[in-house]
């Protein structure tokens, strides 16, 4: 089933694919309306662990893109599901923002702060604009005391309105360095877990799903490894001149200027 | 000249060797008095970039160990000398504490803060208990803008009275990760630069000097690479049970319980 027309489900990355910052990609609204009309299933996956899932839902609706809350999957939810499946319960020390705290709490985990963090069962690390030496010290002591170290995603940096800022991967690297312990799991793309949640929730098989993203190392590599039909769009971080050197698992099945073109191919 | 008795100069690490935290190692005062009496030259080298050199001098004098300010060499001074020799002048954004700011300023470099840091010529990274996301963001943008990235030392963690805390190496790892740029130089031990400063200032050759330390990866590896007669003391971080696996550049020439024993061998 290697024909795009036969795909029953589509997994979209968000920033750089559906919108860029606060602006929807031109033609995005029409593409999603068309996907709904033709009965295609849709999921949105983001490696960003900082915001609550409901905030993405609200953002898409405000842009005129119909979607339900359950169609959005982020790395915070992935972390919470991973911990729930593997350990059921426990205390978490979080290097991260409200998106991560919210998902962990909703899945029955206790989030501890300050000195109590040193005795946590899990240290969960996502991007955190409140990251500081004190948090790093607590995280260091917790993992040295035996806490399991879980990374929400591997992205080392990300664009912000005012310029480039560090991503979760920078906080993960700091903790890896001082503790000399590697994370037990890195949940975000290219890790297959979020794709797996999306495909299972749609009730489809990998071969029936296309994955659409703007980043090679997360969206395309992750999608290829998981067995999706991968579509790279050039509306985000990857530019036309980056395409020459793509081989093996970095090579997308299809390259489009943006998701506006997707509609014409279905 | 492989006999300890013939050595004319001695380089000592500080914490774990001369004192442990606030307490002098038993016999340290007598050993240093004996070294002075017998006309041996002495230098103290520390990878700690956080404090001003004068504060180590005061600490040693308070413990009854005679020394002069010029006998103390730290990685902050090493960074300042490195930059001065190679680039003469420029603006530095510092992830670090007063020891680093003080040395850079004394060597004629301008230390810039906040948003101005994004246009600095150098990003200098040492241990910083005020490290946070904002500083990491400025450092990231500066190195992306072409600033040269210099690390004060590679130590990933260090003991503090209340437990383990992150070292300069953790801050360096965070910046390496998000910028995807490696430091141009990592000045502290095992880098030979601080040993080189010490040996030259004593007016001796490497073969005439013994290096005394408590850490394998910095003091012993660095000393061996530089061609010193290396002495490992067990009064600090390395314990008797760690000795079995030491081979090659990790193997000290001599192992002593503490520097108290050194006096008997001279």
């Amino acid at each position: 089933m290697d024909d795009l027309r036969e795909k029953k489900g589509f997994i979209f990355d968000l920033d750089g694919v559906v919108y860029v910052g606060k602006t929807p990609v031109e033609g995005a609204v029409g593409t999603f309306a068309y996907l709904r009309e033709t009965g295609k299933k849709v999921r949105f996956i983001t490696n960003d662990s900082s915001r609550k899932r409901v905030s993405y839902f609200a953002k898409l609706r405000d842009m005129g893109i119909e979607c339900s809350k359950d169609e959005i999957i982020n790395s915070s939810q992935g972390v919470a599901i991973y911990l729930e499946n593997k350990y059921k319960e426990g205390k978490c020390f979080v290097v991260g923002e409200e998106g991560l705290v919210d998902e962990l709490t909703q899945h029955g985990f206790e989030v501890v702060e300050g000195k109590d963090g040193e005795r946590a069962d899990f240290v969960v690390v996502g991007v955190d604009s409140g990251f500081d030496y004190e948090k790093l010290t607590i995280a260091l002591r917790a993992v040295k005391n035996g806490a399991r170290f879980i990374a929400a995603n591997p992205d080392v940096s990300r664009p912000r309105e005012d310029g480039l800022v560090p991503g979760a991967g920078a906080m993960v690297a700091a903790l890896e360095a001082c503790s000399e312990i590697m994370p037990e799991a890195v949940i975000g793309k290219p890790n297959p877990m979020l794709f797996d949640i999306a495909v299972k929730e749609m009730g489809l098989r990998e071969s029936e799903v296309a994955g659409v993203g703007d980043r090679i190392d997360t969206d395309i590599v992750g999608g290829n490894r998981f067995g999706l039909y991968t579509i790279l769009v050039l509306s985000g971080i990857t530019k036309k001149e980056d395409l020459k050197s793509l081989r093996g698992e970095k090579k997308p099945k299809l390259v489009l200027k943006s998701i506006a073109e997707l509609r014409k191919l279905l």
Side-chain angles (χ1 to χ4, degrees), chain A residues 11-257:
Chain A
I11 295 173
F12 293 89
D13 179 48
L14 283 168
D15 205 4
V17 174
V18 180
Y19 48 74
V20 177
K22 289 170 181 163
T23 316
V25 164
E26 208 183 313
V29 173
T31 294
F32 285 102
Y34 185 76
L35 287 167
R36 300 294 179 186
E37 276 168 36
T38 52
K40 304 291 188 189
K41 292 185 177 173
V42 167
R43 288 294 182 280
F44 301 94
I45 294 186
T46 173
N47 266 5
D48 185 359
S49 61
S50 65
R51 296 160 66 195
K52 292 184 187 183
R53 274 194 289 153
V54 68
S55 79
Y56 297 102
F57 163 69
K59 183 168 177 175
L60 291 172
R61 296 296 282 257
D62 287 350
M63 288 176 175
I65 295 166
E66 195 196 327
C67 80
S68 81
K69 246 176 7 192
D70 296 339
E71 288 173 341
I72 292 159
I73 297 159
N74 66 359
S75 60
S76 296
Q77 186 191 13
V79 168
I81 291 174
Y82 172 87
L83 288 179
E84 192 175 33
N85 290 344
K86 198 160 173 188
Y87 301 108
K88 289 198 171 63
E89 55 181 19
K91 291 181 184 176
C92 299
F93 179 70
V94 176
V95 177
E97 302 192 11
E98 60 165 9
L100 207 41
V101 170
D102 183 61
E103 288 291 339
L104 290 165
T105 309
Q106 279 190 36
H107 284 78
F109 290 88
E110 185 186 346
V111 173
V112 292
E113 294 184 346
K115 285 290 273 182
D116 291 342
E118 295 182 11
R119 295 283 158 195
D121 304 299
F122 310 103
V123 172
V124 179
V125 182
V127 68
D128 186 352
S129 62
F131 182 67
D132 63 12
Y133 192 77
E134 199 50 36
K135 279 193 185 177
L136 182 59
T137 300
I138 296 165
L140 162 62
R141 292 176 183 182
V143 301
K144 285 290 193 187
N145 286 334
R148 291 166 187 281
F149 171 14
I150 315 292
N153 84 66
D155 305 359
V156 293
S157 62
R158 55 177 189 169
R160 199 171 66 182
E161 281 73 15
D162 65 334
L164 200 63
V165 293
M171 271 118 270
V172 170
L175 181 55
E176 280 178 3
C178 62
S179 69
E180 300 176 82
I181 291 170
M182 299 289 285
E184 163 182 309
V186 183
I187 300 298
K189 298 175 275 185
N191 181 308
M193 191 178 162
L194 302 185
F195 294 116
D196 194 43
I197 295 171
V199 170
K200 286 212 175 96
E201 283 184 354
M202 290 192 283
L204 298 173
R205 282 169 292 137
E206 290 88 318
S207 60
E208 296 172 312
V209 178
V212 188
D214 70 318
R215 284 184 182 261
I216 300 296
D217 290 334
T218 52
D219 301 323
I220 302 307
V221 169
N224 281 337
R225 284 185 193 166
F226 192 65
L228 303 181
Y229 181 107
T230 50
I231 302 172
L232 175 71
V233 290
L234 301 178
S235 50
I237 201 149
T238 306
K239 300 296 165 197
K240 209 171 175 178
E241 56 270 27
D242 304 327
L243 296 178
K244 290 167 226 153
S245 57
L246 302 181
R247 280 183 200 85
E249 64 180 10
K250 294 193 171 196
K251 200 173 162 64
K253 187 84 182 168
L254 187 67
V255 180
L256 300 177
K257 269 167 79 175

